[in-house]
Amino acid sequence: MPLQSKVNLSVAPGVAGDKATPDQSIYTPLNPLAAVALPVGRFVFPVVESGVIDNTRATNVAGDAIAVLGFVERVINYVNYELFSDGTLTVPAGSNLTVAVKGDYWAVSTTKATVGQAVLASTADGSISTGTPDATHLDTGWVVKTPGEIGEPIIISNWGPVTAAAGA
């Protein structure tokens, strides 16, 4: 292993799937099982079989799902027995997922992100992009909170602005 050759003067941005604000997330009522190996920091969809939506299992391919199930949070609870491997940001198939439906999270977009843009989920693999929804990119209801170039960590959120209650 080489010696450290660089010291940064600022804190590194978050890793995809990490919380951007602690303890301010809302999750699915049950932790769905990963139907396939799933990367963290992306959106997942419920499994649909024979027209029946199964929210107890999640996949990264939308198929017949009409909406996202949520965002896969990075939770470090999977043992990596390969001591010399680089590790992954993938949850093994059959494992419980922590799926956020509301919160502030670090993510990586496949497109340039500007503040206020809609966050989209690819129906092919759950990856994140920004902009306008189309046939292969579903609107997640989340928005970009910090700007970033392609592949750079950004913060996404679906906490809406605070407004006064009606009649207040």
Side-chain angles (χ1 to χ4, degrees), residues 109-115 117-118 129-131 144 147-151 154:
S109 177
T110 60
T111 58
K112 183 176 179 176
T114 58
V115 175
Q117 278 186 308
S129 62
T130 59
V144 175
E149 297 296 322
I150 296 170
I154 59 172

Side-chain angles (χ1 to χ4, degrees), residues 63-138:
D64 293 332
I66 56 173
V68 298
L69 183 60
F71 181 81
V72 179
E73 183 177 312
R74 179 177 172 247
V75 179
I76 305 173
N77 62 349
Y78 303 104
V79 178
N80 180 359
Y81 291 107
E82 299 294 327
L83 297 178
F84 296 108
S85 74
D86 292 334
T88 68
L89 293 175
T90 302
V91 178
S95 301
N96 285 323
L97 296 169
T98 302
V99 178
V101 294
K102 203 167 217 26
D104 299 324
Y105 283 90
W106 287 98
V108 174
S109 177
T110 60
T111 58
K112 183 176 179 176
T114 58
V115 175
Q117 278 186 308
V119 174
L120 311 175
S122 167
T123 57
D125 62 7
S127 62
I128 293 171
S129 62
T130 59
T132 306
D134 58 31
T136 60
H137 296 87
L138 299 178

